[in-house]
Amino acid sequence: MTSEQKRALVVRGGWPGHEPVAITDLFLPFLRDNGYEVEVSDTLAVYEDAGRLAASDLIIQCWTMGEITPQQREGLVTAVRAGTGFAGWHGGIVDAFRGDVDYTLLTGGQFLMHPSGFSDHTVKLVKERSEHPVIAGLSDFRVHTEKYWMATDGDIDVLATTEFEPDERRPHAVTMPAVWTRTVEAGRVFVSTIGHKPDDFDVPEVRTLTERGLLWAGR
C-alpha cells in the first residue's frame, strides 16, 4: 500500500432481503479503481475497533435492521466525527438499528414505510443544488423500485426527492428526500434511499450518483 492509497471499510449484513453481499460487490472494483484498499466486514464488532475505524477514510454500510450495541454505535459516531466518511443506500443505511436515536442523528434520516411492492416513479434532482458534485450534470430520472417514506433531520443537504401522490389517507402530495449529504463535525455522510435490488443500479443515474456519493464522503 502506498502512502497515497486510501482505505475503505465495507460493513455488510443484517436482513438478507437487501442482498448486502451482491450489491456491495458491485462497488468494490470501483473503489479499488479509485485508489482505495478495501476491507470487508460481516460483523458489527468492527465498530468497536477504534484503530481500524480511524485508519479508514470511508465506511460503506449495507446492514438492514438488526441491533447495534451502544459501544459499536459510539465507535462509529466517534470515527465519523473525527473525519472518516460514512455512506450507504436504501435500508442498509436508513433502515438500520431502528430506535437508536444517536445513529439516526448520524445518518440524518430514518425509514418509516414504503407502499407495497415496486413502483415506477421519478426521482427529481433539486435544481438549487445542481452544481453539487454528486448530481452535477445529471437530470431527473425514472426508477422501478421501492419508494421510501422517511423521517429526516432538518440539517441535511437534500439533492434529490420523490413525490407521494395524494391517496385515501393523505389529501395532498408530499415531497420526500431521496438523496442527501451532510457533515458531522469533520466527517461527511452520503445517503441514497434508492437500492433495494441489484438492478436498481443498472439505471445509469443511480449508479453514477451512488459512486459519486461514495467518493464525496471519503476523507
Side-chain angles (χ1 to χ4, degrees), residues 86-157:
F86 188 53
W89 51 83
H90 202 61
I93 192 167
V94 290
D95 190 17
F97 324 131
R98 297 176 181 176
D100 190 306
V101 174
D102 288 335
Y103 175 79
T104 301
L105 289 172
L106 176 68
T107 63
Q110 170 66 60
F111 163 79
L112 295 181
M113 71 88 174
H114 62 76
S116 179
F118 303 145
S119 66
D120 291 305
H121 58 275
T122 299
V123 179
K124 295 183 178 181
L125 306 186
V126 177
K127 293 180 180 178
E128 294 80 4
R129 303 299 294 133
S130 63
E131 298 304 312
H132 192 287
V134 170
I135 60 169
L138 301 181
S139 301
D140 298 349
F141 56 92
R142 299 280 291 174
V143 292
H144 179 75
T145 191
E146 290 179 341
K147 182 162 56 170
Y148 266 17
W149 185 283
M150 300 295 303
T152 54
D153 190 322
D155 187 22
I156 59 175
D157 185 3

